[in-house]
Amino acid sequence: MILTVTLNTALDLTYGVPELVPHASHRVSDISERPGGKGLNVARVLAALGHETVVTGFAGGATGAVLRELLADLSPRDSISAPADVTSGPEPESAPVPGSATASASVPATAPAPTRTTDASAPAPVSAPAPAPAPITDALVTVAGNTRRTIAVVARATGDTTQLNEPGPLVSADEWSALLARYEELLAGADAVALCGSLPPGIHVGAYAELVRSARAAGVPVLLDTGGEPLRRGIAARPDLIKPNADELAQLTGSRDPLRASRDARRRGAHAVVASLGPEGMLALTPDGVWQASPPAKVLGNPTGAGDSAVAGVLSGLVEGLSWPERLRRAVALSAATVLSPTAGDFDRAAYEELLPRVGVEDHTTAA
């Protein structure tokens, strides 16, 4: 089982408009809702790849109830028992964009029309059958506050996306303690854990460092995907892997050179660094070597969730024992296939299967 932690979950709303014009009224052509936040997006892709996944974090209020209802609809079955909720109350975010200017005619740009409960996977080519979707188990902790919403407005004519993110609910000390207890229980059955996204109000800035230390004490490989001061504190706890984008890496280290910045990040405590480089793909600096993976073509579409799909690619590859080049190849192909899907957290299965063998991976170990 793979565990994902999303402390600041969200109900992702995607509004499609023909064209986005400032200071104008718009008629929305299509609307979709998804359970979101970075870790939930990661879990959705992991499940589509066939990995049983448990999600924890916080959810509350009317928005949280909708999120949990949609999350339940994504899972084909519940084969893992989540611990009983220990709180009272009702039960039920910078991404690697492998290109943003033009679309390659050789890359399929089709995706299922967004609906409220569309599954993240689509039929794969006969030569490469898709794995059966695996369960996503809800182990979220209920909080008194209302889960936030994120709103993506997509101009269908260009694929450009405008994103609006609410801050999230205020989390109490008791609610944080409940999350820690839930997390410790779940680590016992986890093969790997991903700590993803921003911190909601009320959570101390060293929260991720605390969660990293718990995972390391339990012997569970831990990936950290956040930015700013939570990343700075978290990296000092020595996570197995961090996945910053170029801006987050520069903010952490003060260097705009990805290779130099990744070296600095490893000195600060990260065992391995996988950096998202936008249209240039991804760079991995690891104890085993240095590689850069690049997409075969630029793609046009909605980049929301592309970084989360990359995390799912790297984490699933780790659990499956893939080499670093193959982990990067999968991550970049998933990221590009997510750009081609109009809804946050989905990826275009046909595009993924077509792109995967065409992602280029270069070995920079000697140069580094």
Side-chain angles (χ1 to χ4, degrees), residues 65-261:
V66 173
L67 180 150
R68 299 181 88 157
E69 177 187 344
L70 293 172
L71 187 61
D73 288 342
L74 288 174
S75 186
R77 60 186 178 87
D78 293 323
S79 66
I80 304 173
S81 298
D85 202 329
V86 295
T87 63
S88 61
E91 281 296 334
E93 72 227 45
S94 313
V97 183
S100 57
T102 59
S104 167
S106 63
V107 178
T110 58
T115 61
R116 195 165 185 259
T117 58
T118 299
D119 188 44
S121 62
V126 174
S127 59
I136 300 176
T137 297
D138 176 354
L140 296 168
V141 172
T142 301
V143 295
N146 201 39
T147 295
R148 67 183 178 134
R149 296 166 299 174
T150 68
I151 300 173
V153 183
V154 182
R156 297 302 186 197
T158 63
D160 291 337
T161 301
T162 299
Q163 188 80 17
L164 303 174
N165 297 330
E166 295 179 356
L170 179 65
V171 178
S172 70
D174 286 344
E175 290 165 344
W176 171 242
S177 295
L179 184 284
L180 290 177
R182 173 70 54 82
Y183 179 68
E184 293 285 351
E185 292 177 9
L186 293 171
L187 282 175
D191 298 314
V193 58
L195 310 175
C196 304
S198 61
L199 299 179
I203 297 297
H204 66 95
V205 73
Y208 280 134
E210 189 172 353
L211 297 178
V212 167
R213 286 192 290 270
S214 294
R216 288 183 57 81
V220 179
V222 55
L223 180 152
L224 178 60
D225 182 17
T226 189
E229 192 61 23
L231 174 59
R232 192 180 307 276
R233 300 284 186 93
I235 200 173
R238 307 188 68 80
D240 294 275
L241 175 63
I242 63 169
K243 206 286 304 167
N245 60 35
D247 289 339
E248 291 164 344
L249 194 56
Q251 184 180 8
L252 173 70
T253 66
S255 174
R256 300 297 305 187
D257 177 80
L259 185 57
R260 181 179 301 173

Side-chain angles (χ1 to χ4, degrees), residues 266-287:
R266 287 200 65 208
R267 284 194 293 268
R268 291 168 183 261
H271 188 65
V273 179
V274 175
S276 300
L277 305 179
E280 283 73 45
M282 303 183 75
L283 174 71
L285 188 69
T286 82

